[in-house]
């Protein structure tokens, strides 16, 4: 089943949740029995017609992404990074591949080549989709010194970059599901909190200061330190004084 998914995705059908009958027959050992079993348990459903033959679809796209990610990791683990690195490099821009690469990062014995490639800024675009994907992948990697160091770099570049640097555009960033796991990495959280505190205390733009305060609030207990609480209280005190001075 993994081989069938890998074949389809490798040749460019990452958005298509369908596998042809003949393709599935070729990919599975004891195919008729296994296809029947997978259909009975609800993994495979009728996918209509594709290229003139009957096709199957996965009941949920998650199955497809998981199998593709497992295939990418297997290639890297068995044949080395060079065997699959170019494919990861080429496909990291593709929305249909992103979750598969996140799964692959968690399954690779050595995920650092993938993470470093995504986080280095080379080949990224204005919106830094590869950096964003690096943050998602980092959440699948076990905590450690290397994860903390890379996490700090990823968070720093994201928050200080041309599109993330304006707090107005990222004040909901800590709520974004793809980054929640990465925020469990201490270095990522430390950098995020440090940048937000700096914006809260020093930025001349009131909207930026308000956005930073909201972002710290969205982090919840993760950012509940004495320093953060004091900074928020000081911001509130200044607002109260400003409003009092505006009273008639």
């Amino acid at each position: 089943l993994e081989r069938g998914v890998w074949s389809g995705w490798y040749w460019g059908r990452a958005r298509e949740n369908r596998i042809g009958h003949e393709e599935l027959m070729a990919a599975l050992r004891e195919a008729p029995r296994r296809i029947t079993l997978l259909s009975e348990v609800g993994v495979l459903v009728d996918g209509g017609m594709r290229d003139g033959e009957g096709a199957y679809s996965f009941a949920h796209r998650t199955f497809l992404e998981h199998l593709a990610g497992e295939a990418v990791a297997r290639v890297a683990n068995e044949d080395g990074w060079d065997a699959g690195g170019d494919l990861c490099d080429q496909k990291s821009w593709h929305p249909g591949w992103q979750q598969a690469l996140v799964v692959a990062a968690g399954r690779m014995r050595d995920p650092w080549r993938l993470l470093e490639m995504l986080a280095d800024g080379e080949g990224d675009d204005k919106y830094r989709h590869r950096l964003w994907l690096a943050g998602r992948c980092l959440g699948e990697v076990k905590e450690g010194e290397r994860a903390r160091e890379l996490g700090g770099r990823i968070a720093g570049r994201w928050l200080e970059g041309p599109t993330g640097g304006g707090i107005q555009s990222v004040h909901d960033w800590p709520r974004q599901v793809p980054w929640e796991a990465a925020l469990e990495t201490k270095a990522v959280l430390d950098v995020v909190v440090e940048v937000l505190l700096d914006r809260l205390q020093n930025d001349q733009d009131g909207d930026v200061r308000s956005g930073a305060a909201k972002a710290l609030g969205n982090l919840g207990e993760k950012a509940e330190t004495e320093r953060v609480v004091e900074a928020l209280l000081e911001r509130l005190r200044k607002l109260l004084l400003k409003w009092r001075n505006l009273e008639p």
Side-chain angles (χ1 to χ4, degrees):
L1 194 57
E2 179 188 300
R3 289 194 298 271
V5 171
W6 173 247
S7 174
W9 276 43
Y10 186 89
W11 295 111
R13 300 201 301 270
R15 286 188 178 275
E16 184 178 347
N17 182 10
R18 285 194 298 173
I19 301 177
H21 178 76
E22 293 302 322
E23 190 174 17
L24 194 56
M25 290 286 287
L28 288 173
R29 292 190 297 272
E30 302 180 34
R33 183 179 69 83
R34 290 174 182 264
I35 291 174
T36 299
L37 177 61
L38 290 168
S39 299
E40 288 177 349
V41 299
V43 174
L44 291 176
V45 296
D46 183 3
M49 300 292 291
R50 195 192 76 186
D51 299 332
E53 66 167 337
Y56 296 90
S57 294
F58 289 96
H60 196 283
R61 185 177 174 81
T62 302
F63 291 117
L64 190 68
E65 294 165 335
H66 180 82
L67 288 167
E70 290 278 1
V72 172
R74 176 175 52 78
V75 170
N77 291 339
E78 294 178 1
D79 302 324
W81 171 253
D82 291 341
D86 285 346
L87 180 69
C88 293
D89 190 18
Q90 295 166 13
K91 298 298 185 181
S92 61
W93 60 269
H94 198 308
W97 272 86
Q98 288 175 350
Q99 185 58 37
L101 292 177
V102 171
V103 172
R107 298 297 186 181
M108 288 179 180
R109 287 194 288 267
D110 180 9
W112 300 108
R113 295 284 294 274
L114 172 62
L115 286 164
E116 292 285 357
M117 178 192 74
L118 294 173
D120 67 6
E122 295 293 328
D124 218 343
D125 62 12
K126 176 181 178 181
Y127 300 100
R128 294 171 301 150
H129 65 277
R130 282 164 62 113
L131 184 66
W132 175 81
L133 182 57
R136 293 191 62 188
C137 290
L138 185 66
E140 301 297 313
V141 177
K142 291 182 179 179
E143 180 76 65
E145 185 60 37
R146 192 167 183 178
R148 288 193 291 272
E149 187 276 329
L150 182 60
R153 272 196 284 139
I154 290 173
R157 283 193 58 223
W158 180 262
L159 287 171
E160 296 294 350
T163 56
I167 282 294
Q168 301 100 315
S169 65
V170 296
H171 62 263
D172 284 327
W173 179 79
R175 280 185 174 170
Q176 293 179 15
V177 174
W179 280 84
E180 285 182 356
L183 283 170
E184 298 299 329
T185 303
K186 188 175 185 300
V188 178
L189 181 62
D190 287 348
V191 171
V192 170
V193 170
E194 195 62 37
V195 171
L196 293 177
L197 276 174
D198 178 69
R199 299 290 177 81
L200 175 67
Q201 296 171 322
N202 302 314
D203 203 288
Q204 299 302 308
D205 189 324
D207 289 336
V208 172
R209 294 194 300 272
S210 296
K214 182 178 179 181
L216 288 166
N218 288 345
L219 283 170
E221 293 182 358
K222 294 186 181 71
E224 193 175 321
T225 66
E226 184 176 342
R227 185 182 173 201
V228 170
V229 172
E230 287 179 355
L232 290 171
L233 288 173
E234 177 63 16
R235 174 65 184 151
L236 179 60
R237 186 184 69 82
K238 289 181 178 179
L239 285 174
L240 290 174
L241 287 173
K242 180 180 178 180
W243 291 335
R244 182 175 297 175
N245 292 333
L246 290 176
E247 290 179 357

